[in-house]
Amino acid sequence: LNAMVNCIRSADNYIYIETQFFISQFGTWGEKQVGSDHHTGAPQKVPAVDSSKIGNENNGIKNIVLDELAARIGKHIVAALPFHVYIVIPTHPEGPITDEAVWKQHWMALVSIKHGSNSLINRIKKSLIARKRDPQEWVQYLTILNMRNYGATVQYARDPKTFDEDFSHEIGRFVVTEQIYIHSKLMIVDDAVAIVG
């Protein structure tokens, strides 16, 4: 983590990250009603999820990579210098998406990148707004990717009794796709440093 933070802080042109999990401090997400105001009757709401109170046995998410990336991008926005971060993550964590642990990892990556109040995208937008720029220009600084492979499969007629395929009688071709699961922990900075895990 210290090596990654030092590399992020010294990056001049770009940062490329491949990681199995991108879970970092994201601020808050959503809200829930906890009652109503005694005087006005208006609903009282609090954040539904606070990244300082979940993970690590409810002691908060301690990963500061998002903070460092947002700060570095923010410095380049202030200096009006080109800079780009590329993050490659799996489409979804390994395992059935209906599994609670898989769903939680997937959700935490989404709020870290986009939906949290201090998500990476929202922090870039805030930096742009502070410089009186269009917040939709965040795409000039960040690209989120996942990888898929594609192929085709051919279905052949089958003998109704033996179920043997008749390779002389094609009945359909179908495109198939699946994610290429990112398992690496890789960071490349400015074509100068690589951290490989």
Side-chain angles (χ1 to χ4, degrees), residues 18-53:
E18 282 181 14
T19 185
Q20 182 179 6
F21 306 112
F22 189 85
I23 297 171
S24 206
Q25 298 170 346
F26 57 81
T28 61
W29 176 83
E31 58 186 20
K32 61 183 176 183
Q33 186 169 336
V34 294
S36 54
D37 185 277
H38 296 293
H39 300 291
T40 65
Q44 290 181 321
K45 296 181 180 181
V46 297
V49 180
D50 184 337
S51 63
S52 69
K53 297 178 181 171

Side-chain angles (χ1 to χ4, degrees), residues 1 24-25 51-52 54 56 59-65 67:
L1 179 62
S24 206
Q25 298 170 346
S51 63
S52 69
I54 63 172
N56 297 318
N59 193 24
I61 297 171
K62 304 298 183 193
N63 187 337
I64 60 169
V65 168
D67 294 331

Side-chain angles (χ1 to χ4, degrees), residues 66-92:
L66 185 152
D67 294 331
E68 295 296 334
L69 290 171
R72 195 66 189 158
I73 291 169
K75 287 183 181 183
H76 281 81
I77 289 171
V78 168
L81 293 171
F83 187 76
H84 207 87
V85 174
Y86 304 87
I87 300 174
V88 184
I89 58 174
T91 306
H92 58 79

Side-chain angles (χ1 to χ4, degrees), residues 132-182:
K132 301 193 182 331
R133 289 178 57 189
D134 182 352
Q136 296 310 310
E137 292 178 17
W138 70 265
V139 297
Q140 295 177 16
Y141 298 93
L142 178 66
T143 300
I144 306 293
L145 302 164
N146 57 50
M147 298 171 67
R148 300 192 73 79
N149 63 9
Y150 295 88
T153 185
V154 178
Q155 186 174 4
Y156 296 99
R158 292 185 178 267
D159 181 289
K161 292 181 181 167
T162 66
F163 296 105
D164 290 338
E165 288 182 308
D166 176 1
F167 295 112
S168 66
H169 187 204
E170 180 181 311
I171 60 172
R173 289 180 179 251
F174 305 93
V175 174
V176 293
T177 181
E178 64 183 6
Q179 73 170 317
I180 297 173
Y181 190 74
I182 304 300

